[in-house]
Amino acid sequence: MSDNTYVESAIVEDDALAAARARAEELGAPTVSPAVGALLALLATAAGAKSVVEVGTGVGVSGLWLLAGMADDGVLTTIDPDSAYQQAARESFAAADIPVGRTRLINGSPTEVLPRLADASYELVFLDGEVLDHPRYVTEAMRILRPGGVVVLHHADKLSPKRKGAAAEAVREAALVIADDDRFLPVVIPLGTGLLAAAKAR
């Protein structure tokens, strides 16, 4: 067993997350790996997150992990254009006994919704939507993050020079947007399909 395989298999998920993954399999919805989920919970805890934005609700797997790390009165705003996924996410949150007031599910295009969110209002932004739109997502995420907040970009494995195509180019462009802003300290984390996380200076 490789070290990375061990890391990915070391996290044991509870019944609510297992049920959410079963919903994802039924719908063919993408999910984060358990190790990525655990990292999201850790980052939410470290940031003392009360306000979090997620692009790409899926069936709620990453949302459950984010909520696990957030403050008890924290609110997760999660955006997805697929209404079937969001209905499944509602079921996942209900099954985990998440109070309705702790989630705000927005069914719509993230490129249209993100610009409507307030400046410097969120401690954590997780970007797991359409990869080709990552540069636009990142630009908005940097705007809506509070000082000390963290943006997390999924599918950072596409930063590899071996990866070609429009998706890889989009992820590289998003990474350059972050790298060119002196307020952000980035790091690439080799979990799941790769994460690029960047903290905004306080």
Side-chain angles (χ1 to χ4, degrees):
M1 179 181 290
S2 70
D3 289 345
N4 195 55
T5 301
Y6 168 74
V7 168
E8 290 290 347
S9 64
I11 304 299
V12 178
E13 296 183 312
D14 62 18
D15 291 344
L17 276 160
R21 286 194 183 279
R23 288 187 192 91
E25 198 167 319
E26 289 175 13
L27 289 172
T31 60
V32 299
S33 73
V36 168
L39 178 64
L40 292 175
L42 183 150
L43 291 173
T45 299
K50 294 184 68 174
S51 297
V52 173
V53 171
E54 174 186 45
V55 171
T57 308
V59 302
V61 171
S62 50
L64 287 172
W65 276 111
L66 287 163
L67 286 159
M70 293 168 62
D72 290 341
D73 59 346
V75 176
L76 171 68
T77 297
T78 180
I79 308 162
D80 202 298
D82 192 314
S83 58
Y85 286 178
Q86 286 212 322
Q87 180 54 42
R90 285 189 179 88
E91 295 171 10
S92 297
F93 296 149
D97 296 323
I98 303 296
V100 174
R102 291 203 60 206
T103 59
R104 181 170 64 141
L105 286 82
I106 301 176
N107 181 216
S109 167
T111 57
E112 296 176 2
V113 175
L114 286 171
R116 301 202 297 264
L117 301 181
D119 293 356
S121 297
Y122 300 90
E123 291 87 17
L124 178 62
V125 179
F126 177 49
L127 304 175
D128 193 22
E130 172 55 58
V131 174
L132 294 178
D133 287 327
H134 271 350
R136 295 170 71 183
Y137 297 160
V138 162
T139 300
E140 293 297 338
M142 294 164 75
R143 176 185 62 79
I144 65 177
L145 273 177
R146 288 179 174 145
V150 177
V151 57
V152 182
L153 178 73
H154 204 196
H155 307 301
D157 59 341
K158 291 180 174 59
L159 290 170
S160 168
K162 296 178 181 178
R163 302 298 291 269
K164 307 296 181 184
E169 290 174 9
V171 173
R172 291 186 192 111
E173 183 181 343
L176 285 173
V177 171
I178 294 172
D180 287 343
D181 192 320
D182 292 341
R183 298 172 300 167
F184 284 82
L185 177 64
V187 62
V188 175
I189 303 166
L191 291 176
T193 59
L195 298 170
L196 172 60
K200 188 175 185 178
R202 295 185 183 277

